[in-house]
């Protein structure tokens, strides 16, 4: 997809991967709408990039995806690209995590992206003559069981599965889905994740075995832009993690093979 003059809605845009990705997107000629909780960081990047801003807490119990979508379209026109990037980790002893924090993580990491995907699907069905793309930024943790990361990993596993399922259901239409599963990206979130001893030890073992390397946010952002440009449906960084991800997705691909010729949608 050529992003010139396209309207991009990017969540989690104030820091980390989201802020880096916003800067990369800003030079494509696209119109940016940046979503994150109200903060000085969000104001700074919006001013730097001359982007439209929608302050919102996607993890709030009263988050309204339809209202956010309406505000985005009122400010920037029809949304052509949705990038669900916002996320929070709860790395630590699962017995000690506050129940409210668990619920909030599921809302932010999985439920809000799902509801925004639904808004994109509805927009595509209202105007089927426009190419649209959903980019869901998941994680390699969706495919493995790392100590201390169960809450986060399960939300990302749900997002990965949702992306594959919707991508298959809407295959051949003008709405596409790109699943991004990065490994460890050196951001504030990674520092928090590695602050828990068992998780840090697991990451160190993966690195020692050559199964993992840190992926700079700049590298990941560049890869995502290339994936959008080349109409990819899946992106994994580092590439050495690909076989693990492929094994996780194998049952999905076998199911799609079995369902060849079966109608994907009614009507």
């Amino acid at each position: 997809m050529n992003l010139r003059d396209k309207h991009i809605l990017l969540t989690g845009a104030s820091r980390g991967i989201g802020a880096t990705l916003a800067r990369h997107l800003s030079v494509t000629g696209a119109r940016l709408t940046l979503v994150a909780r109200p903060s000085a960081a969000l104001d700074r990047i919006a001013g730097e990039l001359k982007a439209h801003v929608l302050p919102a807490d996607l993890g709030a119990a009263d988050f309204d995806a339809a209202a956010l979508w309406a505000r985005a379209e009122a400010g920037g026109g029809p949304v052509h690209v949705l990038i669900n990037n916002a996320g929070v980790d709860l790395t630590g002893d699962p017995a000690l995590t506050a129940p409210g924090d668990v619920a909030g993580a599921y809302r932010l990491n999985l439920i809000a992206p799902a509801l925004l995907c639904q808004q994109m699907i509805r927009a595509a069905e209202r105007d089927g003559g426009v190419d649209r793309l959903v980019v869901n930024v998941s994680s390699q943790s969706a495919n493995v069981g790392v100590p201390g990361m169960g809450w986060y990993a399960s939300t990302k596993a749900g997002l990965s599965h949702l992306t594959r399922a919707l991508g298959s259901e809407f295959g051949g239409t003008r709405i596409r889905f790109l699943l991004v599963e990065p490994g460890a990206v050196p951001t504030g979130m990674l520092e928090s994740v590695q602050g828990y001893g068992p998780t840090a030890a697991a990451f160190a073992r993966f690195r020692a075995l050559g199964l993992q390397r840190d992926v700079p946010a700049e590298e990941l952002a560049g890869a995502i832009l290339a994936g959008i440009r080349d109409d990819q449906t899946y992106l994994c960084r580092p590439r050495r993690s690909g076989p693990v991800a492929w094994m996780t997705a194998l049952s999905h691909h076998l199911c799609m093979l079995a369902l060849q010729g079966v109608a994907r949608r009614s009507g």
Side-chain angles (χ1 to χ4, degrees), residues 3-30:
L3 293 178
R4 179 166 295 280
D5 297 324
K6 298 295 193 301
H7 181 198
I8 301 175
L9 179 63
L10 169 64
T11 72
S14 63
R15 59 181 181 167
I17 295 170
T20 304
L21 185 54
R23 292 186 176 96
H24 279 248
L25 291 167
S26 70
V27 300
T28 65

Side-chain angles (χ1 to χ4, degrees), residues 14 23 39-50:
S14 63
R23 292 186 176 96
S39 68
L42 179 62
D43 293 339
R44 280 195 301 272
I45 192 164
E48 173 191 338
L49 304 180
K50 305 296 188 292

Side-chain angles (χ1 to χ4, degrees), residues 173-253:
T173 71
R174 299 193 71 168
I175 179 170
R176 296 188 303 103
F177 293 82
L178 168 58
L179 172 60
V180 180
E181 290 187 328
V185 180
T187 62
M189 180 183 287
L190 181 59
E191 292 178 8
S192 173
V193 166
Q194 296 188 134
Y196 182 61
T199 307
F203 277 37
R205 175 65 60 83
F206 289 150
R207 292 186 180 102
L209 293 173
L211 299 175
Q212 177 179 299
R213 70 167 177 85
D214 287 355
V215 180
E218 292 282 343
E219 176 186 337
L220 179 62
I224 292 174
L225 257 66
I228 293 172
R229 181 192 63 227
D230 298 339
D231 295 333
Q232 296 179 26
T233 58
Y234 180 75
L235 175 63
C236 172
R237 289 293 184 280
R239 288 190 176 94
R240 67 186 68 174
S241 301
V244 175
W246 185 86
M247 286 186 287
T248 303
L250 179 59
S251 60
H252 168 79
H253 295 305

Side-chain angles (χ1 to χ4, degrees), residues 160-169 179 233 245-259 264:
S160 290
H161 190 76
L162 174 68
T163 310
R164 291 189 181 98
L166 292 178
S168 295
E169 185 166 350
L179 172 60
T233 58
W246 185 86
M247 286 186 287
T248 303
L250 179 59
S251 60
H252 168 79
H253 295 305
L254 291 174
C255 178
M256 292 302 99
L257 183 63
L259 294 178
R264 298 182 182 183

Side-chain angles (χ1 to χ4, degrees), residues 38-203:
S39 68
L42 179 62
D43 293 339
R44 280 195 301 272
I45 192 164
E48 173 191 338
L49 304 180
K50 305 296 188 292
H52 182 221
V53 170
L54 289 180
D57 183 358
L58 277 62
D62 61 351
F63 169 65
D64 187 335
L68 180 71
W69 198 268
R71 289 166 58 201
E73 291 196 324
V79 176
H80 302 99
V81 181
L82 165 66
I83 304 179
N84 281 314
N85 168 74
V88 64
D89 88 277
L90 290 178
T91 302
D93 186 337
L96 302 179
T97 312
D101 290 342
V102 175
Y106 275 86
R107 287 194 296 266
L108 178 60
N109 294 3
L110 179 57
I111 296 174
L115 294 176
L116 289 172
C117 283
Q118 184 183 53
Q119 291 301 312
M120 178 65 102
I121 291 167
R122 289 176 174 175
E125 293 189 335
R126 288 194 299 269
D127 183 2
V130 177
D131 289 331
R132 300 177 191 265
L133 171 66
V134 175
V135 181
N136 284 334
V137 181
S138 182
S139 167
Q140 280 297 312
S141 68
N143 304 313
V144 294
V146 175
M149 296 190 72
W151 303 125
Y152 177 78
S154 60
T155 65
K156 291 301 186 178
L159 184 60
S160 290
H161 190 76
L162 174 68
T163 310
R164 291 189 181 98
L166 292 178
S168 295
E169 185 166 350
F170 287 89
T173 71
R174 299 193 71 168
I175 179 170
R176 296 188 303 103
F177 293 82
L178 168 58
L179 172 60
V180 180
E181 290 187 328
V185 180
T187 62
M189 180 183 287
L190 181 59
E191 292 178 8
S192 173
V193 166
Q194 296 188 134
Y196 182 61
T199 307
F203 277 37

